[in-house]
Amino acid sequence: MTGITLGRPATMATRRSSAGAQPSGPAMVTIVGLNYQPEPTGIARYTTGLAHGLVQRGHNVRVISGYPHYPAWRIYDGYSGRTRKEDDDGVALTRVRHPVPAKPAMANRLFMELAFGLRALTSSWGRADAAILVSPALISTGIAGIKARMRGIPYAVWVQDIYTLAARETADSGMAARALRSVERRVLGSADSVVVIHDRFKSYLVSELGIAPEKIVVVRNWTHLTDNPREDRESVRARRGWAPDDVIALHAGNIGAKQGLENVVHASRIAARAGSSVRFVILGDGNQRAKLEAMGANANLEFIDPLGDIEFESTLAAADVLLVNELAGMTEMSVPSKLTSYFATGVPVVAATDASSTTADEVLAAGAGPRVDPDDPAALVNAIEQLAADPAQARRYGESALHYRHQVLGADTAIDLLRGVVAGLARTHPLPSPVLTEA
């Protein structure tokens, strides 16, 4: 009688040698991440870009993702049922339904992550040589890591935000924050590799969470926009109702608590009272949008719903200044993904953020524009007016940011580095293969 047992192959006839040589064919990669397109902003852009990039480089890619819900914090129209399977340009995409909190406080978000993680745990991963687990979501990443270890799949955690910092910077220093720190240390410490998006993230993980530095790889996020918008600036401004002498200061992306956009609303009031030509535009959606709109409208403030890629790109390029605003005290928590888009436009950036923040460092490194304190709306108005009065300096800022985008934030460079992480995982951790033996 013939039976099947699992064991390491004894010869080179199988797909991988017992010594852990490079796979003879393209690697099979499973990516587990809560966010994926058509979400227009945030982590979804990078998870989707990585999946497509690996497929284009010859790999077989399976993605386990949630139902699209960000930044509106509700399931998008047209997405029903408990599970959806799609072929997304060669990516085998499985979407699993999960609860979405109307008010995404930390506890509600962790419950959503737990639900998604359990669905990812019971979903088919197919055969995988390596896995990439995307955090956020941390809890689902931890659960997916358990499955990867049980199946002998080497995996990397791709860290887009650090939860421990989020808890500390939002003044949550109690028992829950300490528990979250312990979970994050365990989740990241258990991974075969950890990918972070900034050098300061690496420093924090090493010094504060005790993650071994040799397992951490820094891969910068990239811009998904081209350098040449498909519609001319004047046409976009005319369609938007922006006058030629309006100084458009535009903030794009998620409208959440950590953006602290009350500062921008207060700045618009100051501009309106002064008769300033600065017009603040907030483009996007999020759980704080209704609150901001309820603070009261004025002639110098406008909200725009999320836009498709082409119109988004053209609208950013038609602004005079692009804004990044962060809640006071946010110094290490994240690198706003909007910066990768901003730097591709050639438009100067004004950063309302703490001087010691990662965001301030990034804007300074790019030479993209000035920084002001995040709780000083008058300084924000003044910085924008000074740029409007000095078009030569504004142009230099925009050109410097564009140069930085090409030198540091290229998609091909980032995806090739991530591909190298995948190759290293598959090479270092050969998987058991089925071998026929005589029972």
Side-chain angles (χ1 to χ4, degrees):
M1 185 173 90
T2 300
I4 297 179
T5 62
L6 290 179
R8 183 129 329 142
T11 72
M12 291 292 290
T14 54
R15 188 169 183 272
R16 185 184 286 112
S17 79
S18 60
Q22 283 276 28
S24 60
M28 298 180 180
V29 185
T30 295
I31 301 173
V32 181
L34 179 60
N35 304 99
Y36 198 82
Q37 70 177 16
E39 292 181 358
T41 188
I43 296 169
R45 289 286 190 180
Y46 303 110
T47 303
T48 306
L50 173 61
H52 289 169
L54 290 177
V55 167
Q56 290 162 8
R57 287 159 174 78
H59 297 289
N60 298 303
V61 180
R62 179 185 301 269
V63 172
I64 313 296
S65 185
Y67 275 35
H69 62 277
Y70 185 83
W73 290 98
R74 59 176 177 79
I75 299 292
Y76 286 17
D77 293 340
Y79 287 85
S80 59
R82 283 181 48 79
T83 305
R84 291 170 59 105
K85 293 186 180 295
E86 305 172 18
D87 182 333
D88 180 39
D89 289 335
V91 176
L93 174 61
T94 299
R95 297 187 189 272
V96 295
R97 195 175 185 93
H98 51 83
V100 176
K103 296 181 178 180
M106 181 66 78
N108 293 337
R109 292 181 64 171
L110 293 179
F111 178 75
M112 176 183 68
E113 294 182 13
L114 174 63
F116 170 67
L118 293 174
R119 294 296 315 278
L121 182 69
T122 57
S123 297
S124 172
W125 287 24
R127 177 183 170 87
D129 298 315
I132 302 290
L133 313 180
V134 185
S135 179
L138 177 66
I139 301 303
S140 59
T141 292
I143 294 171
I146 293 171
K147 177 164 183 170
R149 287 194 296 276
M150 290 176 61
R151 291 193 53 194
I153 301 172
Y155 69 95
V157 176
W158 189 10
V159 179
Q160 294 283 340
D161 283 326
I162 299 175
Y163 279 59
T164 305
L165 282 169
R168 188 179 74 184
E169 294 182 348
T170 54
D172 184 359
S173 57
M175 185 179 298
R178 291 193 294 273
L180 195 60
R181 177 188 180 91
S182 178
V183 170
E184 190 159 35
R185 180 189 292 115
R186 182 177 294 273
V187 168
L188 301 184
S190 299
D192 297 288
S193 182
V194 178
V195 179
V196 296
I197 62 173
H198 200 277
D199 291 301
R200 284 179 63 167
F201 279 28
K202 177 176 180 177
S203 297
Y204 182 86
L205 294 186
V206 172
S207 63
E208 299 294 329
L209 295 187
I211 308 302
E214 61 270 17
K215 74 160 53 176
I216 303 176
V217 180
V218 179
V219 179
R220 300 301 306 274
N221 281 344
W222 59 91
T223 179
H224 61 275
L225 301 184
T226 66
D227 295 345
N228 300 301
R230 304 182 197 183
E231 188 175 1
D232 67 273
R233 185 174 187 271
E234 288 72 22
S235 297
V236 175
R237 290 176 69 95
R239 189 174 69 255
R240 291 280 167 206
W242 299 341
D245 58 349
D246 282 341
V247 178
I248 300 300
L250 187 147
H251 180 283
N254 182 42
I255 306 175
K258 72 180 182 181
Q259 283 72 37
L261 291 172
E262 293 85 354
N263 184 57
V264 174
V265 175
H266 293 316
S268 72
R269 291 173 176 169
I270 292 171
R273 287 197 299 268
S276 172
S277 59
V278 175
R279 182 172 178 176
F280 290 90
V281 177
I282 299 177
L283 190 169
D285 203 355
N287 65 296
Q288 296 296 301
R289 175 166 169 170
K291 174 185 174 182
L292 296 177
E293 290 177 319
M295 290 175 66
N298 64 73
N300 293 58
L301 178 64
E302 177 185 2
F303 289 85
I304 298 178
D305 290 337
L307 303 172
D309 283 353
I310 294 174
E311 193 169 4
F312 177 81
E313 182 178 346
S314 298
T315 301
L316 259 61
D320 298 286
V321 172
L322 297 172
L323 301 180
V324 55
N325 198 99
E326 293 182 321
L327 193 66
M330 295 290 180
T331 59
E332 302 278 356
M333 181 174 164
S334 63
V335 182
S337 60
K338 63 174 59 66
L339 290 179
T340 62
S341 298
Y342 284 5
F343 294 164
T345 63
V347 176
V349 176
V350 173
T353 184
D354 283 352
S356 60
S357 69
T358 305
T359 299
D361 278 358
E362 189 71 358
V363 173
L364 177 64
R371 186 207 65 85
V372 298
D373 289 339
D375 51 2
D376 190 344
L380 179 57
V381 175
N382 184 57
I384 296 166
E385 289 181 335
Q386 288 183 3
L387 276 179
D390 190 351
Q393 179 61 66
R395 184 172 58 254
R396 285 192 291 270
Y397 280 138
E399 290 172 350
S400 178
L402 192 58
H403 177 76
Y404 186 80
R405 169 256 194 274
H406 285 298
Q407 295 298 312
V408 179
L409 304 178
D412 286 341
T413 298
I415 293 173
D416 283 342
L417 287 171
L418 288 163
R419 183 191 186 191
V421 170
V422 168
L425 292 171
R427 180 175 61 249
T428 306
H429 297 74
L431 303 178
S433 300
V435 179
L436 292 177
T437 62
E438 292 298 324

